[in-house]
Amino acid sequence: MYFDLNIPYIPEIDDKNTDRLRLILARFSSIAESVIALNHVIDDLNKAKTIQPIPYDNVHHPIVQLTRVTIETDVPPSNEEINMLRSSYQLVALRTSNETTFKIACQSLDVDIISMDCSKRLPFRLDQSIVRDAMKRGILFEICYGAGTRDNTQRVYVLQMSKELIATTGGDNLIVSSEANTVSDIRAPFDVMYLMKAFGLPNDKAKFTTEKNGERLFRKLRS
């Protein structure tokens, strides 16, 4: 099963956005049986909204749709605030460019995913001991390749972030997502695997980034 846990979702849904998501889901259906997460990015916890499933054309394979929120902030939320979001979303992620917030997220916040912004340079170096704290707590780190399909400079940032995360995690607890805005941003599982191999992961760990690691989180939701 193919996992892509970051498909951007805009709550103010209109025909254009619905069509965009339907095309993306149909593309996944043509590739493999998949689990995708519709991802609502918020910078204010009061902006949380319920995500409705998107109807799509089942081309070849079934698609499971999950709901996700990504808190994009340089100020760490409380665990109470995070747990309140779980009434509206199945997955909770955090993305930050602040080193202190990153450290707090790794060591104490009840998030499922720490998503790295691969569209720009991270303004601090990853501390292996802090990253390992998050890994011990079962948190997954997310690399998003979509930005690198659209812009040469961002492609360099995707490469840099991937190599740094691989070095600090040892290739464990990693997921790779598309963060696809259009169908053209999506890559097939073997393409993602070869990309991760090119960045330094061995075969098995490269494959786990779109399969086993996401499946572990999926099973946790169903337990």
Side-chain angles (χ1 to χ4, degrees), residues 75-121:
V75 179
S78 68
N79 277 329
E80 182 180 3
E81 290 171 321
I82 289 171
N83 289 328
M84 286 178 64
L85 291 172
R86 294 192 183 277
S87 63
S88 300
Y89 307 94
Q90 292 167 287
L91 298 173
V92 178
L94 183 136
R95 177 178 284 183
T96 185
S97 58
N98 180 274
E99 186 172 9
T100 299
T101 299
F102 180 83
K103 179 179 179 180
I104 292 171
C106 287
Q107 296 181 331
S108 62
L109 294 187
D110 294 333
V111 296
D112 304 299
I113 298 165
I114 295 176
S115 180
M116 312 306 294
D117 188 349
C118 296
S119 67
K120 58 186 179 183
R121 191 185 304 277

Side-chain angles (χ1 to χ4, degrees), residues 96-194:
T96 185
S97 58
N98 180 274
E99 186 172 9
T100 299
T101 299
F102 180 83
K103 179 179 179 180
I104 292 171
C106 287
Q107 296 181 331
S108 62
L109 294 187
D110 294 333
V111 296
D112 304 299
I113 298 165
I114 295 176
S115 180
M116 312 306 294
D117 188 349
C118 296
S119 67
K120 58 186 179 183
R121 191 185 304 277
L122 191 68
F124 59 90
R125 299 289 295 179
L126 296 180
D127 184 310
Q128 188 175 48
S129 64
I130 292 172
V131 169
R132 295 279 174 168
D133 286 340
M135 294 171 66
K136 290 174 185 175
R137 299 176 59 233
I139 294 174
L140 298 177
F141 288 90
E142 179 181 60
I143 296 167
C144 296
Y145 64 79
T149 67
R150 299 184 290 268
D151 181 274
N152 288 335
T153 300
Q154 292 182 0
R155 187 175 297 124
V156 173
Y157 294 149
V158 172
L159 170 63
Q160 291 173 341
M161 178 54 65
S162 299
K163 287 194 170 184
E164 187 169 1
L165 260 183
I166 288 168
T168 52
T169 62
D172 297 314
N173 286 55
L174 288 181
I175 57 172
V176 177
S177 304
S178 64
E179 202 169 15
N181 289 316
T182 67
V183 170
S184 61
D185 293 336
I186 299 168
R187 298 294 180 266
F190 57 84
D191 291 325
V192 178
M193 184 186 75
Y194 284 123

Side-chain angles (χ1 to χ4, degrees), residues 8-98:
Y9 176 91
I10 301 171
E12 293 73 25
I13 204 76
D14 55 23
D15 289 344
K16 182 178 180 181
N17 283 317
T18 300
D19 288 344
R20 175 183 69 86
L21 289 169
R22 288 184 65 180
L23 287 171
I24 287 173
L25 292 175
R27 173 59 178 153
F28 279 107
S29 179
S30 72
I31 293 173
E33 183 177 355
S34 304
V35 176
I36 66 96
L38 299 173
N39 181 32
H40 180 201
V41 178
I42 60 174
D43 56 10
D44 181 343
L45 297 177
N46 293 318
K47 294 180 179 178
K49 292 187 178 180
T50 302
I51 295 177
Q52 300 298 329
I54 302 298
Y56 69 96
D57 296 325
N58 191 331
V59 180
H60 294 297
H61 308 281
I63 305 294
V64 176
Q65 298 181 49
L66 302 178
T67 60
R68 163 180 163 175
V69 63
T70 298
I71 309 163
E72 199 164 79
T73 181
D74 287 339
V75 179
S78 68
N79 277 329
E80 182 180 3
E81 290 171 321
I82 289 171
N83 289 328
M84 286 178 64
L85 291 172
R86 294 192 183 277
S87 63
S88 300
Y89 307 94
Q90 292 167 287
L91 298 173
V92 178
L94 183 136
R95 177 178 284 183
T96 185
S97 58
N98 180 274

